[in-house]
């Protein structure tokens, strides 16, 4: 399902109509960007400031803690 | 491991020294906040603007697409 865009990286996941997880490279570092986008006048999706770019290490910690987050959600519900 | 803070929610995961995944409630809606924090003068951790608050639905999509993100990382490496 991943779409490769050499300029903006790989869209690994569309978490909503205007939110994406994009894997991209910046100065030889891989970043996992969880971010909101907007559609410009040319109907191109452009990134907004709303979001966060995780390093590979930070992404690993997040991806290994899905269960902890789900537990916190249950606790909060 | 989750720490309950009635004001700021449950810290479900520390993805780095100053980045957290926090589950909190806002107007009866559960939000999953992936965000950068800073330490203020009183050494309290306070949220910055750098981050994104996911709805429960958006979190579910993200958490179900960990493998897609990991594949994109491999493709990028």
């Amino acid at each position: 399902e991943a779409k490769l865009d050499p300029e903006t990286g790989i869209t690994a996941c569309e978490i909503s109509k205007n939110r994406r997880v994009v894997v991209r490279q910046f100065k030889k570092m891989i970043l996992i960007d969880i971010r909101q986008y907007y559609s410009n006048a040319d109907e191109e999706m452009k990134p907004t400031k709303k979001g966060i770019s995780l390093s590979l290490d930070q992404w690993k910690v997040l991806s290994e803690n899905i269960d902890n987050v789900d537990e916190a959600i249950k606790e909060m519900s």
Side-chain angles (χ1 to χ4, degrees), chain A:
Chain A
E1 286 185 32
K3 295 170 199 165
L4 178 61
D5 181 332
E7 272 181 34
T8 54
I10 300 172
T11 299
C13 167
E14 305 215 7
I15 53 182
S16 76
K17 194 187 167 196
N18 62 348
R19 292 181 163 195
R20 295 177 173 178
V21 182
V22 171
V23 179
R24 61 192 175 84
Q25 234 164 353
F26 181 70
K27 294 179 180 173
K28 294 190 177 176
M29 215 169 49
I30 287 178
L31 294 178
I32 295 88
D33 204 26
I34 305 170
R35 188 163 301 278
Q36 184 153 322
Y37 285 69
Y38 73 98
S39 179
N40 74 2
D42 295 332
E43 291 186 4
E44 293 165 326
M45 293 297 270
K46 296 287 183 183
T48 70
K49 285 187 180 179
K50 190 176 278 186
I52 190 164
S53 290
L54 302 180
S55 70
L56 208 46
D57 283 348
Q58 292 167 359
W59 166 255
K60 279 183 185 170
V61 177
L62 172 58
S63 66
E64 286 166 3
N65 277 278
I66 301 297
D67 289 350
N68 281 339
V69 177
D70 286 339
E71 272 176 39
I73 291 167
K74 271 186 198 163
E75 204 173 322
M76 191 67 91
S77 302

